[in-house]
């Protein structure tokens, strides 16, 4: 388990590798010029066209060389701000970007990897239109687009001018807010394929994890943490489809732009709600007031997204993000305290939570234009999901081990119970034999002492009958008849004590009474039966065993 603590480090390395993807040694544009004369066309990776670009607000112009309103803007960043100083005071508008490239070679094929540039653009190399996304316009009549693409060109000279006409009337941030990269076509294509693979891998992994947790919830509905975790995985996978190569727009090229933005922005409050609910199930000490405020905040922002346009609801995402940071700090504190008490059960939760927190903080700063990185929340959440999967696997392993131990103990106890049952059956059989032997002995004694003597008396009485004295003969015949009747009654009484069916038919109490009457007739004891309390009914087998035990006690008394 201690080795699992290495996973946070590996995750951070993976995220940093993503951050370095497609980057070269720092080559930055200065005052609208990027010197790539030392760039190795064949061996270097792609280079980001970052730095100071020339920019003119609210104008599409073919050249900015001598334009009087030209200024410099940092790319990538929204055109609302540049290093904290506002160039324009709102996101709606249009403008011209221009960058001069000093290439190492001419007449070579070059490729530009273009991210979504909000919300539409035309790209020119010198005066030639190379590609476009959407239809830029000086008003809201523009047609927005958020797709990524690769544009290739072959310059006729080493110095080329890259110019972009960009307009935005539909998104909360306008301008170039993600890096544009340049390189040879093979390099650009390879990097794009890697980006596709990473996005597909993240989306597929999160989607599979969501199905897994949904299945766990269906099988065990009492634990709703599985449901909320599955919801997080689904919507985080959906969120990733908008990042990187914007696979969402490639899969649905004709989707309404405003609708796609609503889908994108709704993923955050849904994920935020599921996130808090998930950890509330894991850690019931999470403040209920904060959980309710989170529900209201997520619901309110979701309604805002549904009822308003992106330039409006997009401005307020920062407040929901700030509230989520507060929740993350509170939750991290709770998990940290739990980790101190029980590091084995909470260490990975804390590590995953910290990585998720840092990646979320990165996304806030990146989206606000303060740092130049990537959207890392899908990677942070994937790492968090990976840790949760490991925790779940460890718990399942412990459960299986515990189940195995309990199964072994159950087998042992079952065997012991079977031994007890066997011994009990042996004792029952032994008791039955002893009762049977004693009963036969008593019956033999009864037949010998009582019935035998009565039969002898009857025989003598019959032999003494004289036909010469009819009256005396009649009297002896009557006494003989009575004696035989008593003998028959005694034999019947003995048979009843031996007949199991007779006991079940007459009932336990009645059979016991008959046995006491039979015992009293021996003349050795006087019997009296008193029944008190409620009658407890047993099975016929139990009544028989109890009756035989009482028989032994009577005859041994």
């Amino acid at each position: 388990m201690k080795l699992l603590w290495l996973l946070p480090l590996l995750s951070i390395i993976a995220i940093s590798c993503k951050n370095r993807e497609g980057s070269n040694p720092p080559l930055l544009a200065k005052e609208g010029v990027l010197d790539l004369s030392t760039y190795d066309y064949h061996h270097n990776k792609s280079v980001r066209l970052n730095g100071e670009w020339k920019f003119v607000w609210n104008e599409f112009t073919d050249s900015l060389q001598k334009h009087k309103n030209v200024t410099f803007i940092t790319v990538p960043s929204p055109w609302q701000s540049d290093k904290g100083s506002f160039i324009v005071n709102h996101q709606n508008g249009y403008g011209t970007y221009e960058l001069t490239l000093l290439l190492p070679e001419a007449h070579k094929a070059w490729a530009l990897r273009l991210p979504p540039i909000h919300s539409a653009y035309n790209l020119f190399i010198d005066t030639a239109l190379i590609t476009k996304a959407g239809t830029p316009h000086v008003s809201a009549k523009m047609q927005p687009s958020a797709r990524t693409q690769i544009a290739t060109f072959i310059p006729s000279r080493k110095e080329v001018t890259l110019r972009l006409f960009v307009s935005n009337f539909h998104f909360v941030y306008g301008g170039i807010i993600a890096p544009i990269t340049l390189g040879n076509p093979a390099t650009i294509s390879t990097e794009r394929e890697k980006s596709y693979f990473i996005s597909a891998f993240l989306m597929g992994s999160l989607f599979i994890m969501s199905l897994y947790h949904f299945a766990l919830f269906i099988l065990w509905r009492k634990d709703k943490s599985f449901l909320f975790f599955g919801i997080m995985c689904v919507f985080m996978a959906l969120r990733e489809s908008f990042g990187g190569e914007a696979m969402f727009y490639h899969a649905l090229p004709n989707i309404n732009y405003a609708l796609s933005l609503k889908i994108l922005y709704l993923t955050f409050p849904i994920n935020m709600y599921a996130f808090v609910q998930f950890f509330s199930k894991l850690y019931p000490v999470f403040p209920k007031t904060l959980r309710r405020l989170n529900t209201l905040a997520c619901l309110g922002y979701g309604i805002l997204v549904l009822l308003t346009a992106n330039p409006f609801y997009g401005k307020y995402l920062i407040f929901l993000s700030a509230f989520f940071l507060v929740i993350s700090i509170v939750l991290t504190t709770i998990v940290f305290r739990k980790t101190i008490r029980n590091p084995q059960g909470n260490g990975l939760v804390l590590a995953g939570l910290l990585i998720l927190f840092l990646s979320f903080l990165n996304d806030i700063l990146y989206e606000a234009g303060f740092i130049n990185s990537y959207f890392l929340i899908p990677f942070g959440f994937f790492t968090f999901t990976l840790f949760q999967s490991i925790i779940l696997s460890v718990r399942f392993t412990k459960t299986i081990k515990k189940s195995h131990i309990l199964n072994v103990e159950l087998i042992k106890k079952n065997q012991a119970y079977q031994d007890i049952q066997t011994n009990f059956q042996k004792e029952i059989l032994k008791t039955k034999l002893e009762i049977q032997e004693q009963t036969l002995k008593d019956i033999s004694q009864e037949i010998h002492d009582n019935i035998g003597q009565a039969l002898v008396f009857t025989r003598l009485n019959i032999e003494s009958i004289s036909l010469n004295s009819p009256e005396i003969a009649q009297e002896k015949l009557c006494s003989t008849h009575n004696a035989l009747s008593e003998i028959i009654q005694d034999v019947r009484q003995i048979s009843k004590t031996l007949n199991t069916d007779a006991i079940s038919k007459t009932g336990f109490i009645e059979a016991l009474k008959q046995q006491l009457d039979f015992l009293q007739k021996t003349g050795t004891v006087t019997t009296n039966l008193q029944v008190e309390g409620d009658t407890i009914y047993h099975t016929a087998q139990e009544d028989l065993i109890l009756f035989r035990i009482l028989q032994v006690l009577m005859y041994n008394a």
Side-chain angles (χ1 to χ4, degrees):
M1 177 63 71
K2 293 181 178 180
L3 294 177
L4 296 178
W5 283 90
L6 295 175
L7 290 175
L9 178 60
L10 297 177
S11 301
I12 294 174
I13 294 174
I15 293 176
S16 64
C17 289
K18 168 69 178 176
N19 191 34
R20 292 195 301 267
E21 180 190 341
S23 65
N24 238 1
L27 295 173
L28 297 176
K30 295 182 180 179
E31 297 183 352
V33 179
L34 180 58
D35 187 357
L36 300 178
S37 57
T38 59
Y39 177 79
D40 191 334
Y41 176 87
H42 297 285
H43 298 93
N44 278 9
K45 294 181 179 180
S46 64
V47 60
R48 293 181 180 181
L49 305 185
N50 294 349
E52 295 177 344
W53 287 48
K54 293 179 181 179
F55 180 73
V56 173
W57 175 243
N58 274 355
E59 187 175 345
F60 291 151
T61 180
D62 293 334
S63 177
L64 301 185
Q65 291 296 332
K66 298 180 181 181
H67 200 288
K68 62 179 180 179
N69 295 325
V70 69
T71 185
F72 297 103
I73 186 172
T74 300
V75 172
S77 68
W79 62 30
Q80 286 98 316
S81 63
D82 180 26
K83 297 181 180 179
S85 62
F86 284 90
I87 292 178
V88 295
N89 58 6
H90 53 83
Q91 75 279 354
N92 291 343
Y94 57 97
T96 301
Y97 287 85
E98 186 177 283
L99 178 67
T100 299
L101 299 175
L102 303 179
L103 302 175
E105 299 180 49
H107 306 289
K108 292 282 188 181
W110 292 85
L112 287 166
R113 185 178 171 196
L114 298 160
I117 297 176
H118 299 285
S119 299
Y121 66 89
N122 288 343
L123 171 64
F124 299 86
I125 300 295
D126 292 331
T127 59
L129 178 64
I130 300 300
T131 188
K132 61 183 295 185
T135 304
H137 197 269
V138 297
S139 69
K141 294 179 181 180
M142 61 164 289
Q143 297 296 322
S145 175
R147 65 187 179 92
T148 63
Q149 57 180 326
I150 293 177
T152 59
F153 65 96
I154 301 176
S156 59
R157 53 196 178 89
K158 292 184 179 181
E159 181 177 330
V160 297
T161 300
L162 188 153
R163 188 176 299 105
L164 283 163
F165 293 168
V166 181
S167 64
N168 177 60
F169 292 88
H170 299 275
F171 193 62
V172 64
Y173 299 113
I176 306 172
I177 61 176
I180 299 174
T181 57
L182 173 72
N184 67 66
T187 299
I188 293 295
S189 178
T190 300
E191 291 177 358
R192 190 185 194 190
E193 290 175 359
K194 288 181 179 178
S195 180
Y196 270 125
F197 173 79
I198 292 174
S199 293
F201 173 76
L202 288 174
M203 292 169 59
S205 300
L206 292 173
F207 184 70
I208 291 173
M209 190 58 62
S210 69
L211 294 179
Y212 176 65
H213 281 81
F214 286 147
L216 290 177
F217 173 70
I218 292 173
L219 295 174
W220 186 247
R221 294 180 181 270
K222 292 183 179 180
D223 192 348
K224 292 185 178 180
S225 63
F226 294 131
L227 173 63
F228 292 120
F229 196 83
I231 292 173
M232 283 194 293
C233 290
V234 167
F235 283 93
M236 190 54 65
L238 181 59
R239 170 65 182 83
E240 171 59 21
S241 69
F242 287 91
E245 297 302 318
M247 297 174 67
F248 180 88
Y249 292 103
H250 288 280
L252 301 171
N254 298 321
I255 190 171
N256 181 271
Y257 181 77
L259 175 61
S260 67
L261 291 181
K262 290 182 183 294
I263 295 173
L264 170 61
Y265 274 75
L266 281 174
T267 60
F268 184 76
I270 293 174
N271 268 322
M272 184 172 168
Y273 171 77
F275 178 83
V276 171
Q277 293 297 322
F278 169 73
F279 274 100
S280 297
K281 300 298 179 182
L282 290 184
Y283 299 96
V285 295
F286 188 85
K288 292 183 179 179
T289 302
L290 197 58
R291 185 178 63 190
R292 292 169 182 167
L293 287 176
N294 175 74
T295 301
L296 292 175
C298 293
L299 180 61
Y301 188 75
I303 294 173
L304 189 69
V305 171
L306 293 174
L307 299 181
T308 63
N310 180 267
F312 182 78
Y313 65 74
K315 294 186 296 185
Y316 296 96
L317 180 62
I318 188 67
F319 298 104
L320 190 64
S321 301
F323 182 59
F324 181 70
L325 286 178
V326 173
I327 290 176
S328 300
I329 293 172
V330 173
L331 184 58
T332 302
T333 304
I334 294 173
V335 178
F336 180 74
R337 292 174 180 174
K338 293 285 185 178
T339 303
I340 294 177
R341 300 173 186 174
N342 182 16
Q344 187 175 8
N346 299 280
L348 281 178
V349 178
L350 179 62
L353 192 60
L354 287 174
I355 292 176
L356 183 62
F357 174 78
L358 293 176
S359 61
F360 178 73
L361 184 61
N362 167 87
D363 282 14
I364 293 178
L365 298 176
Y366 173 63
E367 191 168 7
F370 292 109
I371 62 173
N372 180 20
S373 61
Y374 285 92
F375 282 112
L376 296 182
I377 191 67
F379 289 88
F381 187 80
F382 173 76
T383 305
F384 173 75
T385 304
L386 178 63
F387 289 176
Q388 293 301 314
S389 301
I390 294 173
I391 293 171
L392 192 62
S393 300
V394 171
R395 289 177 180 174
F396 278 176
T397 301
K398 290 182 178 180
T399 302
I400 292 173
K401 289 182 178 179
K402 187 176 180 179
S403 176
H404 176 71
I405 294 173
L406 292 175
N407 186 49
V408 172
E409 292 180 355
L410 181 62
I411 291 174
K412 291 181 179 179
K413 291 183 177 181
N414 185 50
Q415 185 63 42
Y417 175 75
Q418 290 181 355
D419 293 340
I420 293 173
Q421 285 288 96
T422 301
N423 293 332
F424 178 74
Q425 293 296 332
K426 289 180 179 178
E427 290 297 325
I428 291 293
L429 180 60
K430 181 179 178 182
T431 303
K432 283 183 177 181
L433 293 175
E434 291 177 352
I435 292 173
Q436 189 176 34
E437 182 179 354
Q438 183 64 39
T439 301
L440 292 175
K441 181 179 179 182
D442 294 338
I443 291 172
S444 176
Q445 185 69 30
E446 176 67 18
I447 292 174
H448 179 271
D449 294 343
N450 295 331
I451 298 177
Q453 292 180 4
L455 288 173
V456 170
F457 169 76
T458 302
R459 187 192 66 181
L460 294 175
N461 199 25
I462 292 174
E463 289 178 350
S464 64
I465 294 175
S466 175
L467 297 177
N468 296 326
S469 302
E471 294 181 358
I472 296 175
Q474 181 66 29
E475 183 180 348
K476 289 184 177 182
L477 284 174
C478 288
S479 62
T480 300
H481 178 269
N482 293 333
L484 287 174
S485 296
E486 291 181 2
I487 292 171
I488 292 172
Q489 184 65 28
D490 291 341
V491 171
R492 286 178 177 174
Q493 188 67 26
I494 292 173
S495 67
K496 288 181 180 180
T497 61
L498 297 175
N499 190 354
T500 304
D501 294 336
I503 296 174
S504 60
K505 289 179 181 180
T506 59
F508 178 79
I509 301 298
E510 184 62 28
L512 183 61
K513 185 177 180 180
Q514 293 176 359
Q515 182 66 35
L516 292 173
D517 292 341
F518 177 75
L519 184 62
Q520 184 168 337
K521 287 182 179 181
T522 60
T524 58
V525 294
T526 300
T527 62
N528 181 29
L529 177 62
Q530 291 183 350
V531 180
E532 297 179 355
D534 298 331
T535 302
I536 300 176
Y537 296 95
H538 302 89
T539 63
Q541 181 71 13
E542 292 173 341
D543 284 342
L544 176 61
I545 294 173
L546 185 58
F547 183 76
R548 297 305 185 199
I549 293 173
L550 292 175
Q551 274 186 321
V552 173
L553 293 175
M554 292 177 189
Y555 290 118
N556 290 336

